[in-house]
């Protein structure tokens, strides 16, 4: 009679930037490339439709003249 061994849990861990799974030894290399790729990603401002690099997006949203603002002058946009 052969006993079945329980399956080993996966050793892969998720990238905190994109969520893909990688083995720990390769994760740091992936994260460097992933961060560079995401900095070059282009996003569109939901208020003025301007296309911006992701690295510039949050700063633009805070000062976008088309974004709705509260009485104290701060943007009503909540960034995730």
């Amino acid at each position: 009679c052969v006993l079945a061994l329980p399956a080993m849990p996966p050793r892969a861990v998720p990238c905190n930037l994109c969520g893909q799974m990688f083995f720990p030894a390769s994760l740091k290399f992936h994260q460097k490339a992933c961060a560079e790729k995401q900095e070059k990603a282009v996003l569109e401002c939901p208020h003025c439709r301007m296309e911006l690099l992701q690295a510039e997006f949050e700063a633009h949203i805070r000062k976008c003249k088309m974004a709705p603002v509260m009485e104290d002058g701060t943007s009503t946009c909540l960034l995730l």
Side-chain angles (χ1 to χ4, degrees):
C1 181
V2 176
L3 295 176
L5 296 175
M8 291 183 60
R11 292 183 12 208
V13 293
C15 169
N16 62 348
L17 301 171
C18 69
Q20 290 185 15
M21 301 297 281
F22 293 89
F23 290 110
S26 60
L27 182 62
K28 65 180 179 179
F29 300 107
H30 163 77
Q31 286 179 324
K32 181 179 178 183
C34 191
E36 290 172 2
K37 182 179 177 181
Q38 287 191 1
E39 284 179 8
K40 295 176 185 174
V42 176
L43 301 173
E44 183 179 277
C45 173
H47 308 294
C48 69
R49 304 291 183 219
M50 178 184 268
E51 290 185 348
L52 305 146
L53 292 175
Q54 183 169 347
E56 303 166 350
F57 186 75
E58 288 186 32
H60 170 80
I61 290 292
R62 286 192 290 269
K63 64 180 181 175
C64 180
K65 295 183 184 340
M66 302 293 288
V69 293
M70 296 188 290
E71 289 182 19
D72 65 0
T74 58
S75 174
T76 60
C77 295
L78 296 176
L79 298 176
L80 301 176

